[in-house]
Amino acid sequence: MNDIAVILGNQLLSQDFEQAGGGTKLEQAKHLASLYASADQAIVVLSDLVFNKSYVYYGSAAAALGLQGQLSGAQIDSIWEEEVFARIHPDDLQAKHMQELRFFHFLKGISPAERSDYHVVRKLRMYNAMNRYVPVLHRMYYLLDLRNDHTEMALCLYGFDHFPSDHFEGRIVNARTGEAVPAGDGRANMLSRREQEVLSLIDSGKASKEIAGTLCISLNTVNRHRQNILEKLRVSNSIEACRVARSFNWIG
Amino acid sequence: MNDIAVILGNQLLSQDFEQAGGGTKLEQAKHLASLYASADQAIVVLSDLVFNKSYVYYGSAAAALGLQGQLSGAQIDSIWEEEVFARIHPDDLQAKHMQELRFFHFLKGISPAERSDYHVVRKLRMYNAMNRYVPVLHRMYYLLDLRNDHTEMALCLYGFDHFPSDHFEGRIVNARTGEAVPAGDGRANMLSRREQEVLSLIDSGKASKEIAGTLCISLNTVNRHRQNILEKLRVSNSIEACRVARSFNWIG
């Protein structure tokens, strides 16, 4: 599992689900997932973030992608479909998880009414049954509980890309307007401007006292920012924080 | 309405539906159509070929495409969604219908078990609410009744193309294998080789007697071929037959 997936998993699963309903909504989502799998012949993974489980539906494309012999609707005790991930090009898998992390935070930054307009699309490479990479189109939807601002479920679809290109890239798209969210959209950044400044200075090797002097703030404030950064990025030290933030282009 | 749409419509609607079931299947298909519209924000049209009606479901993309104010699930007394067609670039609309006609015949030429693997994908241009062309991805599925070899329903989805290109083109694809059906695939040709020869000679201005001489067959046989060609293409005379066959590249 790549580092970004670990960070993303921690964030998805550590939401406060105390009031989560589940039940009927999960059954409806399973029904939608199985319909998608049979209509598009796609591989459809419904991940339940409340109970840390997934349900995998295999359309007929699964066999050609080397995922033969699976029971449709089978339950996995994880939000990650490792068996599918193992067939995705590692670079594309990491980029996919990075985008899903960005998408998770992006949705929190916009109004609840807007959220259902957005999803993620990505062109990626997957091994086929002959262990050759073939172009696949991945779509991902977060199913939200708007009452308590949770991302309760994720729906991932993998199907052959019928208009392949040489670019393997992903986009957060607004299906209502047709627009893609620009990669540098500030709303998708989970760090405040001040936190970015602090982290940039940490990244350039400065100590907390120097950072306080440079930004004309107290040492206490610097330390509070440090703490918030670690919490927001769900990492345990500044070196990890810098690496994650750099991978998102949040710090230069 | 373009000529190809007229030919396609005649063929779709003139199937022998005497034993058609309808009922439950239609309700299930309506449910699928409405789910697609809300999950993908797409415009989804379910056409019932048995009763010559359509049901239109508008996801939130409809407003940006200038199709505002429609009731989701509204019934149209036609298999054609004229209001949507009016917003499609005329070249793309004609190419779309031509491909659907080809697809209809292609499905008849393969084994029933294979048929549900295939659908049509197309990149096309649609007017948006500001009357500017924007790239749209169209998917079309024929819902088949395998017992009596009918195409009972058609499901058309229109959504923004999130990976647009400069090529506006369509493909009949096999979602199980990921392969596209080659444009010149003989199975998609509804005329036999001999019928093509006869029609080519008609197209070059030859009379039946000359054709009989050239192909070393009797005048009766030529006339039988002529009759079969008109029936297969559902046209009323040889000039129309030549035009349709030429538009499919079935004759040189």
Side-chain angles (χ1 to χ4, degrees):
Chain A
M1 186 63 65
N2 64 63
D3 309 344
I4 299 294
V6 173
I7 296 168
L8 173 60
N10 287 341
Q11 299 202 11
L12 289 172
L13 294 172
S14 67
Q15 300 176 88
D16 173 17
F17 284 125
E18 215 158 271
Q19 295 179 56
T24 332
K25 268 159 74 180
L26 179 62
E27 289 311 311
Q28 284 171 353
K30 282 181 177 179
H31 180 61
L32 176 63
S34 82
L35 280 175
Y36 261 119
S38 59
D40 278 8
Q41 308 301 348
I43 299 162
V44 184
V45 182
L46 175 69
S47 296
D48 179 343
L49 308 174
V50 184
F51 293 103
N52 191 17
K53 295 200 184 309
S54 296
Y55 305 89
V56 186
Y57 299 85
Y58 288 98
S60 67
L65 291 169
L67 292 157
Q68 209 149 13
Q70 304 304 320
L71 265 182
S72 208
Q75 183 186 298
I76 304 174
D77 286 326
S78 161
I79 59 165
W80 302 124
E81 55 273 24
E82 300 275 8
E83 202 176 22
V84 179
F85 290 175
R87 308 199 69 80
I88 300 176
H89 191 295
D91 294 352
D92 299 351
L93 183 63
Q94 169 133 1
K96 167 186 179 320
H97 285 134
M98 208 174 280
Q99 186 152 52
E100 287 166 15
L101 178 57
R102 203 179 137 231
F103 184 43
F104 176 67
H105 287 275
F106 171 77
L107 289 179
K108 289 196 181 296
I110 62 176
S111 77
E114 283 183 281
R115 287 181 196 159
S116 62
D117 291 338
Y118 290 91
H119 66 269
V120 166
V121 289
R122 172 166 293 279
K123 286 176 174 278
L124 49 77
R125 290 158 285 189
M126 271 180 83
Y127 270 135
N128 68 5
M130 271 96 76
N131 289 331
R132 264 188 231 123
Y133 279 125
V134 290
V136 161
L137 192 67
H138 172 247
R139 286 175 282 166
M140 203 218 47
Y141 307 79
Y142 279 136
L143 308 181
L144 310 163
D145 184 338
L146 296 182
R147 285 169 313 161
N148 41 30
D149 206 24
H150 289 149
T151 304
E152 283 197 323
M153 290 178 262
L155 192 69
C156 272
L157 287 85
Y158 304 88
F160 287 107
D161 186 354
H162 299 299
F163 292 106
S165 72
D166 294 335
H167 300 287
F168 297 96
E169 53 173 341
R171 288 173 193 173
I172 298 173
V173 297
N174 183 327
R176 184 176 57 78
T177 63
E179 287 160 7
V181 175
D185 191 317
R187 293 187 298 177
N189 186 345
M190 63 178 101
L191 298 182
S192 73
R193 205 192 163 107
R194 197 51 143 184
E195 287 160 355
Q196 280 177 259
E197 286 173 334
V198 170
L199 196 58
S200 288
L201 291 168
I202 293 173
D203 192 45
S204 68
K206 295 245 186 321
S208 291
K209 215 176 148 184
E210 293 173 277
I211 295 170
T214 307
L215 298 178
C216 301
I217 54 179
S218 74
L219 189 59
N220 264 345
T221 305
V222 173
N223 287 331
R224 213 186 54 234
H225 284 314
R226 271 182 180 274
Q227 198 51 42
N228 288 343
I229 291 166
L230 299 188
E231 276 173 20
K232 280 187 176 179
L233 300 182
R234 307 238 175 222
V235 292
S236 52
N237 61 58
S238 299
I239 293 173
E240 279 187 42
C242 290
R243 204 169 43 71
V244 171
R246 241 185 286 120
S247 74
F248 283 96
N249 291 322
W250 291 341
I251 59 173
Chain B
M1 188 62 62
N2 62 64
D3 308 346
I4 299 295
V6 172
I7 296 169
L8 173 61
N10 287 341
Q11 300 202 10
L12 290 172
L13 294 171
S14 67
Q15 300 176 88
D16 173 16
F17 285 124
E18 214 157 275
Q19 295 179 59
T24 332
K25 267 158 76 181
L26 179 62
E27 289 311 311
Q28 283 171 353
K30 281 181 177 180
H31 180 61
L32 177 63
S34 83
L35 278 176
Y36 260 120
S38 58
D40 278 8
Q41 308 301 347
I43 299 162
V44 183
V45 183
L46 175 70
S47 295
D48 178 345
L49 308 174
V50 184
F51 293 103
N52 192 15
K53 295 199 184 309
S54 297
Y55 304 89
V56 186
Y57 299 84
Y58 287 98
S60 67
L65 291 169
L67 292 157
Q68 209 149 12
Q70 305 303 321
L71 265 182
S72 206
Q75 184 186 300
I76 305 173
D77 286 326
S78 161
I79 60 164
W80 302 124
E81 55 274 23
E82 299 274 10
E83 202 176 21
V84 179
F85 289 175
R87 307 199 69 80
I88 299 176
H89 191 295
D91 294 351
D92 299 350
L93 184 63
Q94 169 134 359
K96 169 186 178 316
H97 285 135
M98 208 174 278
Q99 187 153 50
E100 288 165 15
L101 179 57
R102 201 177 141 234
F103 184 43
F104 175 68
H105 288 273
F106 171 78
L107 289 179
K108 289 194 182 296
I110 62 177
S111 78
E114 282 183 282
R115 287 180 196 160
S116 61
D117 291 338
Y118 290 90
H119 65 269
V120 165
V121 289
R122 172 165 293 277
K123 285 173 175 281
L124 48 77
R125 290 158 285 189
M126 270 181 83
Y127 270 135
N128 68 4
M130 271 96 74
N131 288 332
R132 267 190 228 121
Y133 280 124
V134 290
V136 161
L137 190 68
H138 172 247
R139 287 174 282 166
M140 204 218 47
Y141 307 79
Y142 280 135
L143 308 180
L144 310 163
D145 184 337
L146 297 182
R147 286 169 313 161
N148 41 31
D149 207 25
H150 289 149
T151 303
E152 282 198 324
M153 290 177 262
L155 192 69
C156 272
L157 286 85
Y158 304 86
F160 287 107
D161 186 354
H162 298 299
F163 292 107
S165 71
D166 294 336
H167 301 286
F168 297 96
E169 53 174 341
R171 290 174 191 172
I172 298 174
V173 296
N174 182 327
R176 185 175 57 75
T177 63
E179 287 159 4
V181 176
D185 190 318
R187 294 186 298 177
N189 186 346
M190 64 179 100
L191 297 183
S192 73
R193 206 192 161 106
R194 196 52 142 185
E195 286 160 356
Q196 283 180 75
E197 286 174 336
V198 170
L199 195 57
S200 288
L201 291 167
I202 293 172
D203 192 46
S204 67
K206 296 245 184 326
S208 292
K209 213 175 150 186
E210 294 173 276
I211 295 171
T214 306
L215 298 179
C216 301
I217 54 180
S218 75
L219 189 59
N220 266 346
T221 305
V222 172
N223 286 333
R224 211 185 56 233
H225 284 313
R226 273 182 180 276
Q227 198 52 43
N228 288 343
I229 291 166
L230 299 189
E231 276 173 23
K232 281 188 176 179
L233 300 181
R234 305 232 177 227
V235 292
S236 52
N237 61 58
S238 299
I239 293 172
E240 278 187 44
C242 290
R243 204 168 43 71
V244 170
R246 241 185 286 120
S247 73
F248 282 98
N249 292 319
W250 291 340
I251 60 173

